Amino acid sequence: MDKLTVRDADVAGKRVFVRVDFNVPIADGKVQDDSRIRAAVPTIALLVQAGARVILASHLGRPNGKVVDSLRLRPVGQRLAELIRRNVPVTGDALGVGTEDALKRMRPGEIVMLENLRFHPEEEANDPGFAATLASYADVYVNDAFGTAHRAHASTVGIADQLPAYAGLLMERELTMLSKLLEAPERPFAAILGGAKVSDKIAVIDNLLTKVDLLVLGGGMANTFLLAKGKTIGKSLAEPDRVEDARRILATAEKNGVRVVLPVDVIVAKEVTRGTEYKTLLAEKIPASWHIVDLGKQSQELMLDALADVNTVFWNGPLGVFEIPSFAHGTNAVARMLADRADQGATVVVGGGDSVAAITRQGLASKMTHISTGGGASLEFLEGRVLPGVTVLLDREPAEQPKPAATKSTPKPAAKKAAASATKKPTTTKTPAATKTPAATKAAAKTASRK
Ligand code: ADP
Ligand code: MG
């Protein structure tokens, strides 16, 4: 990875602002799925051990710039405290004298979590004043919030202009795993794409068509491809205005020698609900009153067969309405098969909230090579886009150039990867930030427009 990480930073005794993505599901005041919290523990543990004062900051849900009591971070702080067996007090607000006092009282190795950043509209607006206040809390900035790296917000982009900015260990792992897919996948390389809307996935398919050997399509989004092939799909979810895109994708795949596998038979249901009437039909002429809700047996066999020898897989999007157990068979079969492939040494990367939920429900998450904590962020990365929250992090100086004469003179903190860097000399807070070019910042702002 070409970004400096928290291992390169001098953090002993320093105040370190760590942007985490603790946007987790909460019900009845309890965290329902703590995987995003667990994923950030290595970075937090490293900082605590190095004697840093750790200031954690996250958003939760969509409070739209107002205080929403059900979106307070207290349950998250409690869960993290259980996981790391340390106190994790949460401030009443991300701003204010009370918070400033609490942060001033922190001792090395202590942790404080700021209240939900999105209670302030300035967070999502990337307001410079708000970013400056957050920056004033700390000496060093660490971004471990991969799931939010595709957003140019005050805590992901603005703050990084004012502090030396490093990638957290989770951020590093996400970027390393995902870049490997784009740069050096072991072949055959397959992408499996499903989920509801094809419009969300067109850009990623376009980019992956230049990389993969095999493209497996299922779920609601495959219906638009069936339309493109002249099939009828009844009442099934589809986006008729994307049929042209689907046709173009199929043509490009053929030109690039990418094999495309679409469902050949499907489960159709009277309604997309539990307990409804359903049956299997060929994916040719679905009568007007039926919805496609899952892969049929033949499709499953065809897909498992096509995937049998792959060495690299990226999967995003369930292959049916997996929330309803009768329509989860295709998704479950592919998940089991990928777990086996991973067991046999293949690289299996899964991204997307619902796909990950489907895998977790089957207890297969730990079998996969990498489960991305970022749905939208992982797709944007694989679209080939630069994530604004990544752009602003400090670059690692390229290793030993053969031509010593032409070294650029921009000062940067320790360029060499140094795992045992806790002993490294202090880095000034100004120089690294000054190395960021306005162009990079502009590019970041541009990429951020997508919601
Ligand atoms: P992810 O969160 O993994 O990126 P998406 O959000 O794109 O996945 O899509 C997940 C949703 O797609 C699920 O709610 C699932 O019910 C829905 N879905 C999958 N197949 C179908 C289908 N055939 N018809 C309607 N919805 C579907
Ligand atoms: Mg989803």
Side-chain angles (χ1 to χ4, degrees):
M1 205 193 50
D2 58 356
K3 294 291 176 181
L4 293 180
T5 78
V6 62
R7 280 193 242 97
D8 302 305
D10 170 41
V11 296
K14 297 279 174 64
R15 301 169 304 157
V16 182
F17 185 106
V18 188
R19 179 50 158 107
V20 283
D21 184 351
F22 285 170
N23 184 28
V24 295
I26 292 182
D28 306 323
K30 279 235 174 315
V31 172
Q32 302 299 303
D33 175 356
D34 65 0
S35 23
R36 280 185 164 173
I37 304 176
R38 286 174 185 275
V41 164
T43 297
I44 298 168
L46 178 148
L47 288 168
V48 165
Q49 236 151 38
R53 297 163 160 91
V54 183
I55 303 160
L56 299 175
S58 178
H59 72 284
L60 176 61
R62 296 174 178 269
N64 291 324
K66 290 192 208 73
V67 175
V68 176
D69 278 322
S70 61
L71 295 177
R72 287 193 177 276
L73 280 165
R74 213 164 86 92
V76 174
Q78 282 170 346
R79 184 70 196 115
L80 176 63
E82 288 163 17
L83 288 170
I84 59 174
R85 296 200 188 84
R86 277 175 189 272
N87 254 339
V88 183
V90 181
T91 65
D93 187 346
L95 303 182
V97 279
T99 297
E100 281 164 29
D101 282 347
L103 298 182
K104 275 191 198 122
R105 282 195 304 271
M106 287 177 78
R107 301 154 66 91
E110 284 186 353
I111 303 172
V112 168
M113 193 184 299
L114 301 181
E115 184 55 279
N116 194 342
L117 295 168
R118 288 195 190 166
F119 286 175
H120 296 274
E122 294 86 354
E123 161 64 1
E124 289 182 86
N126 191 10
D127 178 79
F130 186 70
T133 306
L134 298 181
S136 74
Y137 296 161
D139 311 300
V140 174
Y141 170 74
V142 172
N143 190 345
D144 215 18
F146 175 74
T148 323
H150 57 317
R151 306 280 183 241
H153 294 167
S155 68
T156 59
V157 167
I159 187 175
D161 271 341
Q162 309 186 36
L163 293 174
Y166 299 86
L169 301 178
L170 170 63
M171 177 71 87
E172 178 188 33
R173 181 167 159 72
E174 292 271 13
L175 295 175
T176 304
M177 292 308 303
L178 293 169
S179 337
K180 242 166 86 180
L181 293 181
L182 294 183
E183 284 157 19
E186 209 187 313
R187 300 193 173 278
F189 175 19
I192 307 171
L193 293 170
K197 288 170 74 186
V198 72
S199 46
D200 291 345
K201 321 264 161 125
I202 284 170
V204 77
I205 297 178
D206 278 337
N207 195 39
L208 289 175
L209 275 180
T210 64
K211 319 271 177 197
V212 298
D213 305 292
L214 170 68
L215 181 63
V216 173
L217 301 177
M221 65 102 96
N223 298 338
T224 302
F225 285 86
L226 293 175
L227 281 181
K229 297 195 81 167
K231 325 275 184 193
T232 58
I233 58 167
K235 277 201 281 187
S236 307
L237 181 74
E239 291 169 88
D241 57 330
R242 298 299 179 156
V243 168
E244 254 332 296
D245 285 301
R247 262 196 210 114
R248 178 180 51 78
I249 285 168
L250 292 172
T252 308
E254 194 171 340
K255 203 176 85 210
N256 295 5
V258 176
R259 179 179 174 202
V260 179
V261 178
L262 276 164
V264 287
D265 67 340
V266 286
I267 309 286
V268 294
K270 277 277 179 208
E271 301 298 334
V272 188
T273 51
R274 254 169 229 264
T276 186
E277 187 189 339
Y278 63 91
K279 61 182 179 183
T280 303
L281 288 180
L282 289 181
E284 294 291 337
K285 274 197 179 138
I286 307 298
S289 59
W290 295 87
H291 300 263
I292 298 176
V293 289
D294 196 3
L295 302 175
K297 271 261 154 54
Q298 284 183 44
S299 303
Q300 286 180 38
E301 274 165 30
L302 180 68
M303 291 177 182
L304 296 193
D305 194 54
L307 291 163
D309 67 342
V310 292
N311 282 315
T312 307
V313 185
F314 173 69
W315 181 16
N316 169 281
L319 303 173
V321 184
F322 78 104
E323 295 92 337
I324 301 173
S326 314
F327 309 143
H329 296 295
T331 303
N332 291 349
V334 168
R336 277 194 306 272
M337 196 265 180
L338 294 183
D340 284 347
R341 290 301 306 146
D343 248 1
Q344 287 156 29
T347 300
V348 180
V349 178
V350 187
D354 293 294
S355 328
V356 172
I359 286 171
T360 307
R361 186 194 278 188
Q362 286 184 88
L364 296 175
S366 62
K367 299 235 176 208
M368 307 300 178
T369 318
H370 181 63
I371 298 274
S372 180
T373 52
S378 65
L379 285 183
E380 285 199 17
F381 188 91
L382 294 177
E383 284 169 18
R385 287 150 60 118
V386 182
L387 307 182
V390 175
T391 308
V392 293
L393 303 177
L394 291 168
D395 290 318
R396 185 177 297 285
E397 209 86 63
E400 302 274 299
Q401 293 294 314
K403 281 190 296 174
T407 12
K408 285 214 191 87
S409 62
T410 334
K412 285 186 187 178
K416 265 198 227 124
K417 179 151 186 160
S421 65
T423 56
K424 211 172 301 143
K425 299 214 179 65
T427 311
T428 68
T429 54
K430 274 182 205 137
T431 5
T435 63
K436 260 163 270 153
T437 63
T441 317
K442 243 182 250 152
K446 230 190 255 164
T447 339
S449 57
R450 185 173 169 178
K451 269 273 137 117

